[in-house]
Amino acid sequence: MAGQVFVFVLGLVLLLVVAGAVALVVQGRRDIMDEARAHTLSVAETFAYAPGTAAALDSKDPTAILQPRAEEVRKRTHVEYVVVMSPQGIRYTHPDPALIGKHVIGPYKEALTGPGFTRTVTASRGRAVISVVPVPRPDGSVAGLVSVGIAVESVNSVADRSIPFSAGAAAVALALTAGGAAFLSRRLRRQTHGLGAAEMTRMYEHHDAVLHAVREGVLIVEADRRLTLANDEARRLLDLPPDAEGRPVADLGLDPDTAELLVCGRTVTDEVLRSGNRLLAVNLRPTDTHGGPPGTVVTLRDTTELRAVTGQAEYATERLLLLYEAGARIGTTLDVTRTAQELAEVAIPGFADAATVDLADPVLHGDEPVTPDGGTLDMRRTAVVSVHPEHPLYPVGHPVGFVPTRTRAMRVHSDDADLQGDFVKLGWRNWDPDVAERLREQGFHSLVSVPMHARGTVLGMANFWRSGDSEPFDDDDLSFAEELVARGAIGVDNARRYTREHSLAVTLQRSLLPRGLPEQNALDVAYRYLPAYEGVGGDWFDVIPLSGARVALVVGDVVGHGLHAAATMGRLRTSVHNFSSLDPAPDELLGHLDELVSRIDRDEADGSAEIAGATCLYAIYDAVSGNCAVARAGHPGPVLVLPDGTVEFPEVPIGLPLGIGGMPFEAAGFHVPEGSRLVLYTDGLVERRGRDIDTGLALLRDSLAGRDRTPEETCDDVLDALLHDRPNDDVALLVARTRTLDPDQVAQWAVATDPAAVAGVRKNVAQWLTDRGLEEEAFATELILSELVTNAVRYGTAPIEVRLLYDRNLICEVSDSSSTSPHMRYAATTDEGGRGLFLVAQFAERWGTRYTETGKVIWSEQAVGESGEDEPQLNGL
């Protein structure tokens, strides 16, 4: 049948293809002839009506004018010829010059009286399609005729070009038809597998026998949710009625869940379905994935016995998964209490109904517990987790005693109420009998108690409880509890050791930070220091009084965390103190500090410690002028809050972090109105995970703006606005409200470079001190200034100035333009000089030299109000 269909279709298509090809060729020639007639007529009319054609015909030599035009038109329009003739038929133009001047052969006269015509004629060059059009004069008379022709052979050659295309199209159509017929024949044979009627009948009988003999239920449900086929096993497993086939699944009396699953239409693999007292494994697959009709094939297996066999394997798998979960959940932080809580949480409810963890008191503080010989180890309840909110177990923090006489886990199951004796047997002490009674009343019947060991030391005890209908603990549960607690003990011990190291690092760090603020009147200072949640950083701050009623503010940050960062911070802080005693400018001090950090890096570049990179900001505030000079090395810049609440971020050039080297530091100066607040901080205040630094700076600006506040209030407001939880990095915050000296507290005189000028200075100083009620300080001050001014006159250069500052102490300053610095020495008995600075050191609490851009300043400080008994004796000097 397939072969006959193939021959019939092939013959029919061949006939249609040949007829179509012939029709295409004939129609093509006819269309091209019509196009040739229209083309020749349009060319003839265009040439005849073109401007100048009639005038050229009436000229003395029409050929000379019209022959070039005609040839150009012929070439551009691809016609055979363009002939211009007189009304008598004499040619003026022709592609063959030999025919010019001769009479035209063929019809032309009827064009003299009409609009023109188109015909197929035999011309001098063979059969052609010609068009003849008259050339009218302006008065309507005919000046001549234009004849345009195309050879018929040229027209047919164009039509013949479509014959190969038509033939090719016919061949393609024939090939597609033959291929389609062959494909159809092959598909018919594939669907029947090349079998005849007898073979197909025998195959159906075999398939039907196998379908009803297998011990697996098979159902076929159509797309309209009707049951098409059900074998004997499916009828037995689902208890189907005899006439089930052909009926909707919903009408077969099945359980609603079963009926819904059979018609859901989705792909299901081994989904367990309960049918009566059976557990069926159901598989659903669509029937139309390989070209079949839409529907679903369902297979059913009875897995009731298999479930009982695999129950123990599933139980073991659940325990392994629980241990894997314990490894992932226990020890996520290095906090002892949190690790104990994680151990208790991972056991509930998969293993027990309640869990408690008791740890020795030293463990909670990071120390290693010492097990007493025969005594009780003091433990404290650290974690409690239960599925029952109202449980009678001891709360967190309750002391629980334990006698560490066993190293293995023990379990207790008491249907009687002798839990008190069981607790004593487990080694517990200080157990309340009332609690044991409440445990029995609430159904707690089974307990596993496991000591927590790490490196041979008992850290605590983990206890797991079951209550109500839960099965009592068995030997497998005991082994699992030991494995679970062993993992928890490792986490607790790691957290304990970290707690100890963290406590040591915090102690070291706090010992290296300022324990109080120095006494000075230039600034009202408040500070806050918050260590990181995990680890110890290297942030530090300092307030350092300088000479001349000036104060240095320092904020720094050492890269990294841990003991190394804290120790490096202490070295840098000490170095800043030492460098500031020399009273350098902020940029010079950072340059010295940069060299120090580079040297530390070189000394520790062997890989045993991390590189001690650091950032630092150093600012000097002058209470006399109200100016502030700031330099920074890779550190966030300062914030200035004006008395009216306006917040500014002064432009301070940022240098490279300390230790990188290669570039000098640059200082910036700006005026600070009295009552303003200078805010210095480390990057931990404004930078954090999930928040951009620009956002942090905006929050800082908002928290500082507005009302006037004390430095203490400012610190609280800033931390409340920017730190809502424990910081991931150390935070140092320093807020200083500025003050300035009253002009009445400052005196300044110029001194001539003449030794006799010393007397005038003494007189002015005595009078100034008397006016302020400081007569008792006059003698020592005059002596100090006499020596300092004398040294400046002798060894310095002009100009020389004297300045007195009455702040917390009395400050004397003598400045000159020389860069030489005096040094105190012990004068010999026979020396006439050399005792001036020794006298200054005896009468002043402090003295020193600082260098300026124009020279140097020698200064001294005297305590005001000291009794004369403390003055040094000058006898023998």
Side-chain angles (χ1 to χ4, degrees), residues 220-221 265-268 283-298:
I220 295 180
V221 180
R266 55 188 175 91
T267 300
V268 175
N283 291 272
L284 278 73
R285 295 293 185 274
T287 59
D288 56 356
T289 54
H290 300 289
T296 303
V297 58
V298 184

Side-chain angles (χ1 to χ4, degrees), residues 336-337 340 357-372 376-382 400-402 404 452 457-461 492 496:
V336 174
T337 302
V357 178
D358 307 324
L359 296 179
D361 285 337
V363 174
L364 298 174
H365 300 92
D367 298 327
E368 185 171 319
V370 178
T371 304
T376 301
L377 180 63
D378 292 332
M379 295 191 303
R380 193 169 299 275
R381 178 129 308 166
T382 309
V400 179
F402 170 70
M452 300 179 65
T457 303
V458 177
L459 303 178
M461 181 74 65
V492 170
R496 178 196 65 79

Side-chain angles (χ1 to χ4, degrees), residues 749-768 778-779 781-791 793 800 802 804:
W749 301 279
V751 180
T753 55
D754 183 0
V758 176
V761 171
R762 296 172 63 123
K763 180 179 178 181
N764 292 334
V765 168
Q767 183 61 46
W768 190 81
F779 174 76
T781 305
E782 291 179 20
L783 182 59
I784 291 173
L785 284 177
S786 296
E787 297 299 334
L788 296 182
V789 172
T790 300
N791 282 339
V793 170
I800 302 173
V802 173
L804 291 183

Side-chain angles (χ1 to χ4, degrees), residues 556-842:
D557 184 5
V558 176
V559 174
H561 292 83
L563 289 174
H564 178 73
T568 304
M569 176 269 289
R571 298 168 69 178
L572 294 183
R573 180 170 176 260
T574 302
S575 300
V576 171
H577 271 273
N578 292 336
F579 290 141
S580 64
S581 65
L582 301 176
D583 222 336
D587 51 340
E588 295 178 10
L589 184 140
L590 290 182
H592 294 311
L593 205 60
D594 181 62
E595 295 178 0
L596 174 65
V597 175
S598 298
R599 189 159 57 249
I600 294 175
D601 288 345
R602 290 193 298 270
D603 295 341
E604 298 179 352
D606 58 352
S608 60
E610 58 183 327
I611 299 299
T615 65
C616 183
L617 182 145
Y618 189 83
I620 297 178
Y621 174 72
D622 188 347
V624 178
S625 63
N627 295 330
C628 184
V630 183
R632 57 181 177 142
H635 200 86
V639 182
L640 177 62
V641 185
L642 299 178
D644 61 356
T646 304
V647 180
E648 297 180 356
F649 291 86
E651 291 291 337
V652 179
I654 183 170
L656 296 175
L658 300 174
I660 295 179
M663 295 295 291
F665 297 98
E666 185 177 355
F670 51 90
H671 183 69
V672 181
E674 184 175 11
S676 301
R677 283 168 288 163
L678 277 171
V679 181
L680 310 183
Y681 54 93
T682 56
D683 57 359
L685 181 67
V686 295
E687 286 187 284
R688 59 184 302 179
R689 295 191 189 99
R691 186 177 70 189
D692 186 71
I693 186 173
D694 294 334
T695 303
L697 292 175
L699 291 174
L700 179 61
R701 176 191 292 272
D702 295 340
S703 64
L704 293 173
R707 63 184 180 87
D708 187 21
R709 286 160 285 184
T710 65
E712 291 288 344
E713 294 173 338
T714 303
C715 289
D716 293 336
D717 292 345
V718 169
L719 295 183
D720 290 342
L722 277 79
L723 299 178
H724 300 291
D725 51 8
R726 302 181 70 176
N728 296 321
D729 192 9
D730 289 11
V731 174
L733 175 63
L734 195 64
V735 179
R737 185 196 295 274
T738 60
R739 301 168 180 164
T740 56
L741 291 182
D742 190 90
D744 190 55
Q745 297 176 270
V746 181
Q748 189 168 353
W749 301 279
V751 180
T753 55
D754 183 0
V758 176
V761 171
R762 296 172 63 123
K763 180 179 178 181
N764 292 334
V765 168
Q767 183 61 46
W768 190 81
L769 294 175
T770 301
D771 294 342
R772 285 152 186 80
L774 301 176
E775 295 87 351
E776 295 182 0
E777 314 298 332
F779 174 76
T781 305
E782 291 179 20
L783 182 59
I784 291 173
L785 284 177
S786 296
E787 297 299 334
L788 296 182
V789 172
T790 300
N791 282 339
V793 170
R794 287 183 178 180
Y795 308 110
T797 57
I800 302 173
E801 290 186 350
V802 173
R803 188 172 72 164
L804 291 183
L805 304 177
Y806 179 28
D807 188 23
R808 180 180 296 272
N809 294 328
L810 181 61
I811 303 171
C812 301
E813 295 182 348
V814 177
S815 63
D816 64 76
S817 299
S818 172
S819 59
T820 60
S821 177
H823 298 280
M824 185 176 66
R825 65 185 179 86
Y826 287 97
T829 306
T830 58
D831 290 345
E832 296 183 0
R835 298 178 177 84
L837 291 180
F838 180 77
L839 291 174
V840 172
Q842 294 297 312

Side-chain angles (χ1 to χ4, degrees), residues 138 142 233 301 367 380 391 529 612 629 664 679 787 836 861:
V142 177
E233 183 68 9
R301 296 195 314 275
D367 298 327
R380 193 169 299 275
H391 58 78
Y529 181 83
V679 181
E787 297 299 334
E861 286 189 11

